[in-house]
Amino acid sequence: MANLKAIRVRISSVKGTRQITSAMKMVSAAKLRKAQDKIVRLRPYVNKLQEILAGLSQSLADAEVENVYGRISDPEKILIVVITSNRGLCGAFNANVIKETRRIITEKYADQHKRGNIRILTIGKKGYDYFRKQSVKMLPEQNNLLNNMSFENVSVVSETIMKSFTAGEFDRVELVYNQFKNAAVQNLTEELFLPVTAGPKGKAAAESVDYIYEPDQEAIVKDLIPKSLKIQFYKAVLDSFVAEHGARMTSMHKATDNATTMIRELTLQYNKARQAAITNQILEVVSGAEALRG
């Protein structure tokens, strides 16, 4: 009977867990649907803006116009912006970003790391909790951005990074985050934020499209490029935000299915144990009756 009681307690516990994971799955699904609409509408605009920005950077380089956001030098002082989540229960979502950031620090920027020239800016409590225990210098965390997700709030952070770059505090700024593909798939992304470079796309855009700049290229450098960078940064944070809810929904869905399977197995185990106990009781009654009859 003691064994039966233990199984009943375990079944009750797993049912409670399944109820929690099912509720979390539904909450994440609702948040995902709302946030997914934003990123789907934003992506085409950002992609076209980046193409124009790359073409503009190439035109500025050809015209030898100074671009403070395109300052290219030896990458000595590096800033890595690590975008994770504030909460767990989303599978390998945070672990993948942390692992990729460690790889970038130890492999790509090993020399800069040895000289102590790498800074980490975390957006998300999980990334902050990990890197504050490591031998790397941290900038003030920006975990509250995920609780108050808006373009205005994210722009404050991106503007601070841009000012630090133009002031020469950093030679290179990179973003590491999960890019949303669908509810079950997130693409781990390492993206160069600053300096703004033309690249192959910029050269192709500059050759294929002859843009007419109004009022002039210098004014566009002061106005369009900062706005484009703010939107690019916002898109990265929003991408990670949407991917987080997708990862959590998938993780909670799997947890709910696993709980259902466990309940089924425990119920079968309970029924077998109960049947065995009843059989033993019947045998004892029959044996006692036979003994009295004898």
Side-chain angles (χ1 to χ4, degrees):
M1 293 300 291
N3 188 36
L4 288 175
K5 184 178 179 181
I7 296 175
R8 280 201 305 268
V9 170
R10 194 173 177 195
I11 289 173
S12 177
S13 175
V14 175
K15 283 183 177 178
T17 303
R18 183 178 66 175
Q19 191 172 5
I20 293 171
T21 56
S22 179
M24 291 183 67
K25 171 188 152 187
M26 288 188 290
V27 170
S28 293
K31 290 183 177 179
L32 172 65
R33 194 175 299 110
K34 184 178 178 181
Q36 186 177 356
D37 292 338
K38 292 182 180 179
I39 194 65
V40 168
R41 290 196 301 265
L42 182 63
R43 270 184 185 162
Y45 175 72
V46 173
N47 292 337
K48 187 62 180 177
L49 198 59
Q50 286 179 336
E51 180 184 329
I52 295 173
L53 187 62
L56 174 61
S57 299
Q58 182 63 39
S59 299
L60 293 174
D62 295 339
E64 298 183 353
V65 176
E66 183 182 5
N67 179 10
V68 292
Y69 301 104
R71 173 178 54 83
I72 298 177
S73 58
D74 292 334
E76 183 63 27
K77 294 172 285 186
I78 312 297
L79 173 64
I80 302 176
V81 181
V82 182
I83 308 175
T84 56
S85 67
N86 282 337
R87 296 183 296 134
L89 298 177
C90 47
F93 178 85
N94 295 309
N96 289 339
V97 174
I98 291 171
K99 183 179 179 181
E100 177 65 12
T101 305
R102 281 178 53 84
R103 185 198 66 79
I104 293 171
I105 293 173
T106 56
E107 296 180 12
K108 187 175 180 179
Y109 298 120
D111 294 338
Q112 291 86 340
H113 179 49
K114 290 177 182 177
R115 292 192 290 270
N117 289 335
I118 291 183
R119 302 289 186 274
I120 296 289
L121 171 63
T122 58
I123 299 175
K125 191 173 183 295
K126 293 300 178 181
Y128 174 76
D129 289 342
Y130 177 83
F131 284 105
R132 69 189 175 94
K133 301 174 185 176
Q134 307 301 312
S135 58
V136 63
K137 296 178 181 178
M138 304 280 295
L139 295 183
E141 47 84 14
Q142 300 292 336
N143 301 336
N144 290 331
L145 276 183
L146 301 178
N147 298 328
N148 302 288
M149 175 67 67
S150 68
F151 178 73
E152 290 74 17
N153 292 335
V154 176
S155 293
V156 174
V157 179
S158 59
E159 192 170 345
T160 302
I161 295 173
M162 289 155 58
K163 286 181 180 178
S164 299
F165 178 82
T166 55
E169 295 179 22
F170 304 111
D171 300 319
R172 194 177 182 91
V173 180
E174 294 202 12
L175 312 178
V176 183
Y177 64 98
N178 282 299
Q179 187 180 68
F180 175 78
K181 184 175 182 181
N182 55 52
V185 179
Q186 300 83 39
N187 294 328
L188 187 60
T189 303
E190 175 195 352
E191 185 177 298
L192 177 64
F193 182 61
L194 286 168
V196 177
T197 58
K201 290 184 178 179
K203 293 178 181 177
E207 292 173 358
S208 62
V209 182
D210 184 16
Y211 291 107
I212 300 174
Y213 300 107
E214 290 290 345
D216 52 48
Q217 292 179 333
E218 289 82 353
I220 290 175
V221 170
K222 295 179 181 179
D223 188 35
L224 179 61
I225 292 181
K227 286 183 179 178
S228 302
L229 289 171
K230 289 178 183 178
I231 294 172
Q232 180 184 346
F233 193 84
Y234 173 67
K235 181 251 181 192
V237 177
L238 183 61
D239 240 329
S240 178
F241 183 73
V242 178
E244 174 195 346
H245 290 303
R248 183 170 292 111
M249 187 188 76
T250 302
S251 180
M252 291 301 98
H253 177 71
K254 290 179 180 178
T256 302
D257 289 347
N258 291 340
T260 301
T261 302
M262 187 178 291
I263 290 170
R264 192 183 304 118
E265 292 174 354
L266 287 172
T267 302
L268 180 62
Q269 183 181 345
Y270 175 81
N271 290 336
K272 286 182 177 179
R274 186 166 175 267
Q275 186 178 17
I278 292 172
T279 303
N280 288 333
Q281 290 175 356
I282 292 173
L283 288 174
E284 289 173 1
V285 170
V286 170
S287 299
E290 289 294 329
L292 290 173
R293 192 177 297 128

